[in-house]
Amino acid sequence: MNLFGIDFGHFPLLLAPMEGVTDAPFRHVCKEFGADIVYSEFISSDGLIRDAVKSIRKLSYTEAERPFGVQIFGNAVEPMVEAALYAERYKPDIIDINFGCPAKKVASKGAGSGMMNNIPKMIEITAAVVKAVSTPITVKTRLGYDDEHREIVDIAERLQDVGISALTIHGRLRTTKWSQPADWTLIGAVKNNPRMHIPIIGNGDIVDGLSARKMIDETGVDAIMIGRATYGNPWIFREIRSFLETNTIIDKPDIQERVRVATNHLHDALNYKEEHRAVFEMRKHWGNYFKGIPNFKPFRLKLVSTETVEETDAVLEEIAAIHNS
């Protein structure tokens, strides 16, 4: 399968850009287990043009992460163009525009999925960004703003007409809660629209090989992007690849592999963050890395209370030793 001029030789699996999750250490882990394309955390256009340190830091990546995408968001044309030009200096393979984030602090300002309530502005921003840079521009969006505005088929055509290279569609509305299942029907309608010729990437409720195969069969998408199901579960890329290629459901990772990967993740974080921050930010991953392990609660409580890498390593070693005995 070819995306953005890259021939992967297999069906592409993408790691979704997620704020507070897809930093460099987590991207490295997902690459290890087969993510074909990884993205930055999403970056505010205003933050970039103000030279905000936190926003600029998100542009950093290693060559091993390629193909690498930068995702930007905003609600105005000029700042988005400036942000895209700024991001292009870092030579990513893709610049993605976020028109899908449902977070209130983003959408309430008309950015992210809030832009689905202003389609003309969405198209205007996209057209201006495509014109301004030479890097392939993609868009990630939702089915529409609400039940009365499921407009993605028309939106997709208009985005394609202004020159985007691919479109990722999350199978929920701006107003859909996470507790409601994703609706893939309109993703399929976009993909099977005879007017569409750019790659369509499906997103939403892909949790394993079975669900990946189901989305492909039902929609015909060209690639899949996986988001929340990757939390503490980078093995999902290996599991999906195995199922798609061999129809085999492979075993979940054993405790030794979980400890190894979690430990490497923590130590890699030290290359990007000071120790206290690295330890603190790993807390959101522990419950997911060891999800399903019997009687794990006491260890999780230890892991979320450690203050140093040395203390954390000691708990991880204890987990490995007890479960290996």
Side-chain angles (χ1 to χ4, degrees):
M1 180 68 69
N2 190 296
L3 282 179
F4 321 118
I6 304 164
D7 186 0
F8 292 98
H10 53 237
F11 188 86
L13 304 177
L14 285 58
L15 172 65
M18 293 176 284
E19 177 64 14
V21 179
T22 55
D23 58 7
F26 188 66
R27 297 195 302 263
H28 297 166
V29 174
C30 290
K31 271 286 187 178
E32 177 186 349
F33 289 98
D36 292 301
I37 301 177
V38 297
Y39 293 79
S40 68
E41 301 171 76
F42 74 171
I43 304 172
S44 162
S45 58
D46 292 335
L48 276 187
I49 63 179
R50 288 197 317 266
D51 284 333
V53 173
K54 183 178 179 181
S55 295
I56 294 170
R57 187 185 297 127
K58 293 177 181 177
L59 292 170
S60 297
Y61 64 98
T62 64
E63 285 298 308
E65 293 177 58
R66 289 192 185 276
F68 173 75
V70 168
Q71 190 185 69
I72 58 175
F73 74 95
N75 61 5
V77 175
E78 289 187 11
M80 285 292 281
V81 168
E82 288 186 51
L85 289 167
Y86 197 119
E88 191 169 51
R89 298 180 206 167
Y90 287 75
K91 303 186 185 305
D93 300 282
I94 307 152
I95 297 175
D96 188 73
I97 302 176
N98 183 316
F99 291 137
C101 176
K104 186 176 181 180
K105 67 180 181 180
V106 174
S108 63
K109 296 178 181 178
S113 64
M115 193 62 70
M116 304 216 73
N117 208 23
N118 190 349
I119 306 306
K121 176 60 72 68
M122 175 193 290
I123 304 304
E124 183 185 7
I125 287 172
T126 306
V129 170
V130 169
K131 185 177 179 180
V133 300
S134 58
T135 305
I137 299 298
T138 62
V139 165
K140 186 173 189 287
T141 190
R142 292 185 165 228
L143 303 178
Y145 191 81
D146 55 27
D147 272 321
E148 286 70 48
H149 299 88
R150 293 173 171 264
E151 301 172 298
I152 189 59
V153 174
D154 175 62
I155 291 169
E157 289 188 7
R158 295 175 68 181
L159 289 169
Q160 176 179 261
D161 289 346
V162 298
I164 67 170
S165 296
L167 176 65
T168 301
I169 306 171
H170 180 83
R172 289 182 172 87
L173 301 161
R174 158 70 183 94
T175 55
T176 305
K177 305 298 182 185
W178 288 111
S179 58
Q180 296 175 249
D183 177 3
W184 299 340
T185 307
L186 286 177
I187 299 176
V190 172
K191 174 58 191 172
N192 295 297
N193 177 356
R195 277 213 65 226
M196 297 300 294
H197 56 79
I198 60 172
I200 303 300
I201 302 163
N203 175 233
D205 289 358
I206 305 300
V207 298
D208 54 23
L210 288 166
S211 53
R213 170 53 65 194
K214 189 169 187 286
M215 174 180 269
I216 295 167
D217 290 346
E218 291 185 5
T219 66
V221 290
D222 300 287
I224 282 174
M225 181 178 281
I226 309 159
R228 290 179 302 152
T230 65
Y231 289 9
N233 183 28
W235 302 277
I236 191 170
F237 295 100
R238 181 175 67 187
E239 292 171 4
I240 291 176
R241 175 75 58 222
S242 174
F243 191 81
L244 294 182
E245 295 183 354
T246 69
N247 211 36
T248 301
I249 299 175
I250 62 176
D251 292 336
K252 294 290 184 182
D254 62 21
I255 196 70
Q256 306 306 318
E257 183 172 26
R258 293 174 192 246
V259 168
R260 177 187 69 79
V261 173
T263 301
N264 289 346
H265 185 172
L266 171 61
H267 284 257
D268 189 23
L270 296 174
N271 294 319
Y272 301 89
K273 310 166 187 178
E274 52 87 19
E275 182 178 22
H276 177 75
R277 181 170 159 232
V279 171
F280 179 80
E281 292 187 358
M282 280 298 295
R283 291 178 179 179
K284 62 179 173 279
H285 292 285
W286 298 131
N288 293 306
Y289 265 128
F290 299 100
K291 189 175 182 179
I293 301 300
N295 306 313
F296 186 72
K297 185 177 180 180
F299 294 107
R300 184 181 66 80
L301 293 175
K302 287 184 180 181
L303 286 168
V304 299
S305 62
T306 59
E307 299 288 342
T308 67
V309 171
E310 185 178 5
E311 291 173 0
T312 309
D313 282 345
V315 178
L316 291 169
E317 288 169 7
E318 184 182 1
I319 293 168
I322 288 176
H323 287 82
N324 196 35
S325 59

